[in-house]
Amino acid sequence: MRKYIFLLLLGLISVLGCELSTQANPTLQLGLPIDCTLGNDCFVLLYPDRDPGPEAVDFGCGRMTYDGHKGTDFAIPDEQVMAEGVKVKAAAAGKVLRTRNNIRDRRIQNQTQTDAVEGMECGNGVVIEHDENWQTQYCHLRKGSVLVQPGDKVKEGTPLGLVGTSGKASFPHVHLSVRYQDQVVDPFVGPEAPSGCQGSKSPLWKTALSYQSTGLIRAGFATQLPELEQLWDGEFKDQVLPVDSPALVFWVHTYGMLKGDQERLQIRDPQGKIVAQFNRTVSESQKVWTRSLGKKGTKHPLIPGQWSGRYQLIRDQKTIIDHEADVLLQ
């Protein structure tokens, strides 16, 4: 009897021109929007904010975001790398909807500069329409570098322009926003994930991107204490320094520091002797951080040869950064 009723219902559906179907939620598959190797010559500095209120939390339950941040920031180490040219790529195939290409590159450092880009926070950018009501947006591209026009069809990996600092950008990066049916989607969790960071995750990335809330941007030596803005400029890349310098400074540029982290820095001379070191507890969490350790060359002149610096970051008794750098004094 039940079988008969089921067959009758199927017949009615056929007569009425209906069909039985189950439509899965459409999913956009994304490649990297930047031509680099994550963890080597680029890194994710900021993730989308998953807190619906005034607080901010990223998908990994960390703090590498800010209130209302709607995209993923793929950053490069400094503006010297930016000047060499790092490609921004289409993360998926689609059609270009909008572009902008005439905004100057300038790292935002104060409120006056922020006010000057009101309404143009994305800077130079590209918006691409994909199938099933998906869109991707690429922001902060270098002025004059945009290679596509509205109406152009692109494939995954098609060059769109170069990484820049146009719009509301305080460091060189490409900001990728993903939208489905005009709603922002965090590509690390997918469109069905609830607010917060504890729910189920269905990432959109074709190749899994691991969550890294803390890392090293770069490190090196200088003859003076570097300022953060000088590091973003790309200064202090010398591999050889004068032996008669007034000081030798080992510096590191990092991101994702947490209150309570332990930092260890040391400098060794060419004979392998530790000539400067310190251990310090981070007193306040910081999204971007710089730390320096120096050896004066006045009272006891620096000796020629290969000097080395080592930086370690320990969190909960686990070493998460261990980096060494060298410089030649001659």
Side-chain angles (χ1 to χ4, degrees):
M1 183 64 178
R2 291 180 178 176
K3 181 178 180 181
Y4 173 77
I5 294 173
F6 177 71
L7 292 174
L8 179 61
L9 288 172
L10 285 178
L12 288 172
I13 290 169
S14 177
V15 170
L16 294 172
C18 302
E19 61 180 4
L20 290 174
S21 66
T22 57
Q23 182 177 0
N25 291 322
T27 301
L28 183 68
Q29 294 292 297
L30 300 174
L32 277 183
I34 184 171
D35 187 16
C36 63
T37 302
L38 283 177
N40 183 16
D41 50 3
C42 66
F43 52 97
V44 176
L45 185 55
L46 295 175
Y47 297 88
D49 176 23
R50 300 206 51 75
D51 188 289
E55 302 299 324
V57 66
D58 60 42
F59 86 98
C61 297
R63 59 182 303 279
M64 294 308 291
T65 185
Y66 59 82
D67 184 32
H69 190 237
K70 298 179 180 180
T72 307
D73 290 351
F74 293 86
I76 56 177
D78 56 59
E79 288 201 12
Q80 283 192 18
V81 176
M82 171 184 141
E84 295 169 3
V86 179
K87 294 178 183 177
V88 174
K89 305 184 300 180
K95 184 175 72 173
V96 177
L97 289 182
R98 298 185 296 276
T99 64
R100 186 162 53 201
N101 199 22
N102 61 350
I103 307 299
R104 65 177 291 192
D105 291 282
R106 178 177 65 178
R107 295 198 315 275
I108 298 297
Q109 299 181 36
N110 54 55
Q111 188 60 46
T112 299
Q113 293 174 348
T114 299
D115 295 341
V117 297
E118 184 176 359
M120 300 178 294
E121 288 84 355
C122 179
N124 304 310
V126 177
V127 177
I128 299 177
E129 181 181 46
H130 310 281
D131 293 339
E132 299 179 309
N133 295 314
W134 287 90
Q135 288 186 0
T136 53
Q137 183 178 18
Y138 311 76
C139 294
H140 311 308
L141 275 63
R142 204 164 92 186
K143 181 180 179 180
S145 74
V146 175
L147 300 171
V148 294
Q149 298 293 331
D152 288 352
K153 292 184 178 180
V154 297
K155 299 178 180 179
E156 179 191 337
T158 297
L160 305 177
L162 299 174
V163 173
T165 56
S166 60
K168 189 180 177 182
S170 57
F171 55 93
H173 70 287
V174 57
H175 170 104
L176 174 70
S177 289
V178 181
R179 292 181 177 86
Y180 174 60
Q181 296 181 342
D182 293 327
Q183 299 298 312
V184 173
V185 174
D186 182 346
F188 289 88
V189 301
E192 300 300 320
S195 299
C197 59
Q198 299 291 351
S200 60
K201 300 175 177 63
S202 298
L204 304 183
W205 305 110
K206 282 187 172 182
T207 301
L209 302 185
S210 60
Y211 175 64
Q212 187 168 358
S213 63
T214 304
L216 179 76
I217 299 174
R218 63 187 184 100
F221 282 89
T223 59
Q224 65 184 72
L225 290 174
E227 299 291 337
L228 180 60
E229 293 305 320
Q230 292 176 297
L231 297 181
W232 281 127
D233 285 340
E235 296 184 32
F236 310 117
K237 291 190 175 183
D238 294 316
Q239 299 296 310
V240 179
L241 293 173
V243 70
D244 59 353
S245 299
L248 181 65
V249 178
F250 173 54
W251 57 265
V252 294
H253 188 189
T254 59
Y255 64 92
M257 312 302 294
L258 295 181
K259 181 178 179 179
D261 287 350
Q262 301 291 317
E263 290 184 296
R264 299 175 182 173
L265 280 82
Q266 63 177 222
I267 297 176
R268 292 180 179 269
D269 68 15
Q271 299 171 349
K273 179 183 177 182
I274 298 176
V275 296
Q277 65 178 337
F278 75 72
N279 299 336
R280 184 170 298 181
T281 300
V282 176
S283 59
E284 183 179 358
S285 297
Q286 299 282 350
K287 289 184 176 64
V288 179
W289 186 255
T290 180
R291 179 71 78 190
S292 302
L293 174 67
K295 169 72 170 69
K296 291 184 178 181
T298 51
K299 185 176 180 180
H300 301 286
L302 303 172
I303 61 176
Q306 194 85 6
W307 291 67
S308 65
R310 184 180 183 184
Y311 174 77
Q312 293 175 295
L313 179 74
I314 298 94
R315 178 177 299 160
D316 298 328
Q317 300 182 340
K318 180 181 179 181
T319 300
I320 56 177
I321 299 177
D322 191 343
H323 181 80
E324 294 191 34
D326 298 317
V327 67
L328 178 64
L329 296 189
Q330 64 179 26

